[in-house]
Amino acid sequence: MPASDMATQSTPFKHGVTWSEAFRVWLRVAALSFGGPAGQIAVMHRILVEEKRWISESRFLHALNYCMLLPGPEAQQLATYVGWLMHRTLGGLMAGGLFILPGIIAIMALSYIYAAYGQVGVVAALFFGLKAAVLAIVVEAVVRVGKRALKNNVMIALAGAAFFGIFFLDVPFPIIIFGAALVGFIGGWLRLAAFQVSGGHGGSGKGDAVVDSLLGEDVPDHVKPTVGRALRVAVIWLTLWLVPVFTLLVLFGSGNVFSQIAVFFSKMALVTFGGAYAVLAYVAQQAVENYHWLRPGEMLDGLGMAETTPGPLIMVLQFVGFMAAFRDPGTLPPMLAGTLGGLLATWVTFAPCFLWIFLGAPFIEKLRGNKSLSAALSAITAAVVGVILNLALWFSIHTVFRQVQPVRGYGFSFDAPILASVDPWALALSVAAAIAIFRFKTGMMPTLAACSLAGIALYLLGIRS
């Protein structure tokens, strides 16, 4: 075999990054993927752009802008996108799969512990403390996203309308998202000033920080879009995603808990614009009030798990699927049913993420240049602020107050807190967590740890049973 052929076989990609090196790097990214999407994206930028120099600054931001247009966790999709650029489809599967693997393992282990011991002494106390910290973190998310998204009165009005609709009127989350997208698209099409957004999410101001990236700026052959390739990708990934869903519906009917998990979280995969905090309000309300999979405080417990483990925050949906099947196992052992329910929720949540990248990424340039689509994204982001505010208020009511009073009538549908049922220790811990985050700029992990230890201390001292 000629030397050139041997070189090609051992290093099949022009950039020279081997599969084994890519595996080690993506495993490292996955292990460090704490802190929500902002922290995860920062980790990837430091490793991929600054340290390894796989891709340039401009290409990294180019990929990030596209992923922000999509439903689903943008950090996981960004990893999939870069892996796909570097090593084609298998590279995308490796990068995206490794990104969520530690979270799958960690959330599953915590779900076992929660299902078996969640209402027992010190474990319940730990999660009591977690709830207070998570509440403060969600409030901080409202402020952070609001500062970025609400640049004018029109965007503020969209956020206010979204909050009023979802909290007071129980308007379905998908309707709010698609309604905001339609308003933004029309505003962009009419070239209204309020909807004219700046490109992307901003660079570093340094231009191409890494001009000698290994990938280069040329478009690789596998990136160039073709109709045939798009059809093949769509058929393969729609089959992988939806065939299990329809199989469950045919075999067990729509009333079966596994069918409900498959259908509900497949719907969520289509509308999770704006990050996990936005969709979790809708998931929490549906899981508690409609499906009765969880009790009101348990969604915060799951969110605390997701906040303290690596991977996307949307991994909390695995906990929801676990508890749903655990409490309605049918003929299966509860723990086995919970395991299958959690894995099913994870599959229908993340399978579409690979579809969006492998199908849409080749057309990224056309998407980025469309002002109407950019305006639609801007309007969605504004509406998401209102939805996250709803999440913060809903969580606070069910964390700080022991009892709520349903308010129904004249089009309104919401839960009002009974003021006399306030839990003073939950309120105190929540306020302390908020002070730590907003006043002293304490990080998420120290705040979560401190509140968890405080909850355990209250239990051990006999102050709170």
Side-chain angles (χ1 to χ4, degrees):
M1 180 180 292
S4 60
D5 291 345
M6 293 177 64
T8 301
Q9 184 174 346
S10 60
T11 311
F13 301 98
K14 293 181 179 180
H15 48 66
V17 179
T18 64
W19 282 100
S20 59
E21 181 183 358
F23 180 85
R24 290 193 298 270
V25 169
W26 288 118
L27 193 60
R28 179 183 167 202
V29 168
L32 297 175
S33 60
F34 292 91
Q40 293 158 358
I41 291 169
V43 166
M44 278 190 279
H45 182 274
R46 186 178 74 246
I47 294 176
L48 304 179
V49 177
E50 298 177 1
E51 179 183 328
K52 294 296 182 181
R53 298 194 172 189
W54 282 3
I55 62 175
S56 67
E57 177 88 7
S58 62
R59 182 164 289 227
F60 183 89
L61 293 176
H62 185 87
L64 176 59
N65 287 337
Y66 172 64
C67 293
M68 289 293 291
L69 284 168
L70 302 172
E74 60 266 32
Q76 187 267 349
Q77 290 170 329
L78 178 59
T80 305
Y81 187 98
V82 177
W84 170 74
L85 275 177
M86 297 289 294
H87 293 99
R88 304 190 178 101
T89 300
L90 289 180
L93 291 173
M94 177 173 63
L98 285 176
F99 192 86
I100 62 176
L101 182 61
I104 291 175
I105 296 171
I107 294 294
M108 188 63 71
L110 290 173
S111 297
Y112 287 150
I113 295 172
Y114 189 87
Y117 307 108
Q119 302 304 316
V120 177
V122 69
V123 177
L126 182 148
F127 281 105
F128 170 76
L130 274 181
K131 292 176 186 177
V134 170
L135 176 57
I137 290 169
V138 174
V139 172
E140 192 268 341
V142 176
V143 176
R144 185 181 68 249
V145 178
K147 286 181 178 179
R148 188 183 74 231
L150 308 183
K151 298 298 186 181
N152 54 59
N153 291 334
V154 172
M155 296 302 163
I156 293 174
L158 279 172
F163 168 75
F164 187 85
I166 196 168
F167 184 83
F168 288 106
L169 306 180
D170 198 25
V171 177
F173 175 74
I175 292 179
I176 289 176
I177 290 299
F178 288 118
L182 180 60
V183 170
F185 187 88
I186 294 174
W189 182 67
L190 294 175
R191 298 293 190 268
L192 299 180
F195 296 93
Q196 298 302 305
V197 294
S198 58
H201 298 269
S204 63
K206 301 177 184 178
D208 286 346
V210 186
V211 296
D212 56 341
S213 66
L214 296 180
L215 187 64
E217 291 301 316
D218 294 334
V219 178
D221 290 337
H222 68 278
V223 172
K224 297 174 182 177
T226 65
V227 174
R229 178 194 173 280
L231 289 175
R232 287 193 302 272
V233 169
V235 169
I236 290 171
W237 283 97
L238 285 173
T239 299
L240 291 173
W241 171 21
L242 297 178
V243 165
V245 177
F246 287 113
T247 300
L248 288 170
L249 286 171
V250 171
L251 293 179
F252 302 112
S254 60
N256 181 269
V257 67
F258 292 103
S259 299
Q260 292 174 340
I261 290 171
V263 172
F264 178 71
F265 290 117
S266 290
K267 292 178 182 178
M268 290 303 95
L270 295 173
V271 295
T272 49
F273 296 94
Y277 283 119
V279 74
L280 288 183
Y282 181 71
V283 172
Q285 290 169 333
Q286 291 296 308
V288 173
E289 298 168 8
N290 185 21
Y291 293 103
H292 307 292
W293 292 338
L294 302 177
R295 303 181 184 97
E298 290 180 335
M299 190 66 185
L300 272 178
D301 295 339
L303 191 56
M305 294 180 193
E307 291 279 17
T308 54
T309 53
L313 189 60
I314 202 69
M315 288 302 305
V316 67
L317 300 186
Q318 178 176 299
F319 168 76
V320 178
F322 182 99
M323 295 305 299
F326 175 81
R327 288 180 171 148
D328 185 12
T331 59
L332 296 174
M335 283 296 185
L336 175 59
T339 302
L340 295 176
L343 293 177
L344 175 61
T346 301
W347 176 256
V348 297
T349 297
F350 286 98
C353 296
F354 292 101
L355 170 64
W356 311 144
I357 296 300
F358 296 147
L359 177 63
F363 303 95
I364 181 175
E365 292 297 334
K366 293 181 180 179
L367 287 174
R368 286 190 70 222
N370 190 301
K371 294 186 179 296
S372 295
L373 288 178
S374 297
L377 176 64
S378 178
I380 288 173
T381 306
V384 160
V385 177
V387 176
I388 299 175
L389 178 59
N390 161 70
L391 174 68
L393 187 57
W394 191 88
F395 276 167
S396 65
I397 288 174
H398 289 91
T399 299
V400 176
F401 298 92
R402 295 189 179 97
Q403 298 177 352
V404 296
Q405 177 67 44
V407 176
R408 305 289 185 268
Y410 301 101
F412 290 95
S413 178
F414 64 96
D415 291 334
I418 298 176
L419 299 182
S421 70
V422 65
D423 185 333
W425 288 109
L427 178 61
L429 277 181
S430 298
V431 171
I435 292 173
I437 290 175
F438 286 97
R439 175 66 178 85
F440 297 103
K441 309 300 181 184
T442 306
M444 180 186 67
M445 297 301 291
T447 302
L448 289 165
C451 286
S452 298
L453 291 174
I456 294 174
L458 291 173
Y459 170 75
L460 294 177
L461 293 173
I463 298 174
R464 192 181 189 279
S465 59

